[in-house]
Amino acid sequence: MTTIDRTRRAFSIEEAVAILERTPATLDALLRGLPETWIAGNEGDETWSSFDVVGHLIHGERTDWIPRARIILQEGEGRAFDKFDRFAQFAVSKNRPLAALLDEFASLRRENLEALKALKLTDADLDRRGRHPELGVVTLRELLSTWVAHDLDHIVQIARVLARQYSDEVGPWRAYLRIISGQQG
Amino acid sequence: MTTIDRTRRAFSIEEAVAILERTPATLDALLRGLPETWIAGNEGDETWSSFDVVGHLIHGERTDWIPRARIILQEGEGRAFDKFDRFAQFAVSKNRPLAALLDEFASLRRENLEALKALKLTDADLDRRGRHPELGVVTLRELLSTWVAHDLDHIVQIARVLARQYSDEVGPWRAYLRIISGQQG
């Protein structure tokens, strides 16, 4: 009898796209129309609100994933990726309504998934290498896997930021809520 | 000049409902139609898959939130809540497709939010107390705040379980992905 390991998947473009194409609708369902007070909530100091995270995802669509995939395919390890600006969203989002940001993210993601499809990547392409300015040599497979995990990481962040608004209000239940107690379990 | 604390909200029914009514569509957008391999992924041993989490949320709609609110309003501290069965979903979900679970969760949540509205809770009602079998005295406000945070906690769990499927595939980017490195940041 063999035991199936359900904790890991090998990367596949089809399975990755299944997540990537769902992220805009997921964020839309969670955030569109929420009272402004929820959207503006953060975790203190320079931490990000849900609004900030959507701006960050837009900036990623414009400058990170597909542009870096093209650099790998066209220039390989010879040219390091441009650095990603983790604070660009503050300019991207300024004075815009969340609904416009959600629309823009959905539209950019759709275009980028079309661009990905048009690349017709083979397994050999996925092994091709590029150079990250800090992490060093990375493969296209790692870049595309990270695109997926990065989406999910920011869904986690948004849900966590929202939940922690009620850190005091949940009273003794705090002990059972990993999202508030900080245990990731 | 005053600084607004954006890290905490006081509970309000209207704001709580704004989250609670969005959870079914959020899970639907994220999970419906995903390849089975994503849905069945877990974090090892007895940890839950996305499929298991949806079953758990269904069981909560049936036995936890509104039933406990009614116990508080009708019986106060005199009667402890029934214990919540954290493993009931394995029976609830057995051999059912995820799509059916998502439909059932959405339908139960809609009914429960109608029931909540029909209670026409006042501020004084929110201060009313009940008795949790393990946590002791709790208020109705704390119960309803926990309903919200619990939804978000399980959105976090699902996104984390999915992302960790690519723990190996992301390569060196693992260091930047809190969802995989386990730092909750």
Side-chain angles (χ1 to χ4, degrees), chain A residues 1-21:
Chain A
M1 209 176 96
T2 51
T3 306
I4 298 165
D5 179 3
R6 294 202 285 151
T7 71
R8 294 289 184 278
R9 297 289 305 153
F11 176 82
S12 93
I13 292 207
E14 189 183 55
E15 290 185 2
V17 167
I19 300 282
L20 292 169
E21 70 187 4

Side-chain angles (χ1 to χ4, degrees), chain B residues 122-161:
Chain B
T122 63
D123 272 353
D125 288 331
L126 292 174
D127 288 331
R128 290 174 70 173
R129 295 162 152 217
R131 191 153 49 83
H132 186 283
E134 288 156 5
L135 298 172
V137 173
V138 291
T139 66
L140 181 54
R141 180 181 286 103
E142 289 164 349
L143 174 71
L144 298 177
S145 301
T146 301
W147 193 5
V148 173
H150 179 268
D151 271 15
L152 294 165
D153 204 359
H154 286 295
I155 291 172
V156 164
Q157 181 179 21
I158 288 172
R160 187 185 68 225
V161 171

Side-chain angles (χ1 to χ4, degrees), chain A residues 6 11 40 134 165 169 176, chain B residues 6 11 40 134 165 169 176:
Chain A
R6 294 202 285 151
F11 176 82
E134 288 156 6
Q165 296 288 311
E169 297 297 64
Y176 289 175
Chain B
R6 295 201 286 151
F11 176 82
E134 288 156 5
Q165 297 288 311
E169 298 296 64
Y176 289 174

Side-chain angles (χ1 to χ4, degrees), chain B:
Chain B
M1 209 177 97
T2 52
T3 307
I4 297 165
D5 180 2
R6 295 201 286 151
T7 70
R8 294 289 184 278
R9 296 290 305 154
F11 176 82
S12 93
I13 292 207
E14 188 182 56
E15 289 185 2
V17 166
I19 300 282
L20 292 169
E21 69 187 6
R22 282 169 171 76
T23 304
T26 302
L27 295 179
D28 207 277
L30 181 57
L31 298 177
R32 189 181 295 260
L34 265 192
E36 176 59 24
T37 42
W38 279 122
I39 300 301
N42 69 13
E43 295 173 283
D45 298 329
E46 302 302 308
T47 62
W48 296 354
S49 66
S50 303
F51 182 85
D52 297 330
V53 173
V54 178
H56 167 76
L57 290 169
I58 288 173
H59 189 63
E61 293 305 300
R62 289 200 183 286
T63 69
D64 192 335
W65 314 106
I66 290 293
R68 285 181 170 186
R70 291 193 200 284
I71 291 173
I72 291 176
L73 293 170
Q74 291 161 14
E75 310 191 51
E77 295 174 54
R79 182 195 147 186
F81 305 144
D82 299 328
K83 286 200 180 184
F84 184 79
D85 181 352
R86 289 168 194 268
F87 300 97
Q89 68 272 17
F90 298 112
V92 167
S93 316
K94 198 161 194 258
N95 298 324
R96 295 178 63 194
L98 179 67
L101 299 183
L102 289 167
D103 289 341
E104 183 174 2
F105 176 54
S107 155
L108 289 169
R109 174 57 58 89
R110 203 159 37 235
E111 289 167 21
N112 281 329
L113 291 179
E114 280 164 19
L116 179 69
K117 195 173 171 189
L119 292 174
K120 297 185 196 304
L121 298 174
T122 63
D123 272 353
D125 288 331
L126 292 174
D127 288 331
R128 290 174 70 173
R129 295 162 152 217
R131 191 153 49 83
H132 186 283
E134 288 156 5
L135 298 172
V137 173
V138 291
T139 66
L140 181 54
R141 180 181 286 103
E142 289 164 349
L143 174 71
L144 298 177
S145 301
T146 301
W147 193 5
V148 173
H150 179 268
D151 271 15
L152 294 165
D153 204 359
H154 286 295
I155 291 172
V156 164
Q157 181 179 21
I158 288 172
R160 187 185 68 225
V161 171
L162 294 173
R164 288 186 174 174
Q165 297 288 311
Y166 278 177
S167 296
D168 298 330
E169 298 296 64
V170 297
W173 268 289
R174 161 190 281 262
Y176 289 174
L177 293 161
R178 291 168 301 183
I179 202 171
I180 286 174
S181 66
Q183 296 171 335
Q184 208 180 29

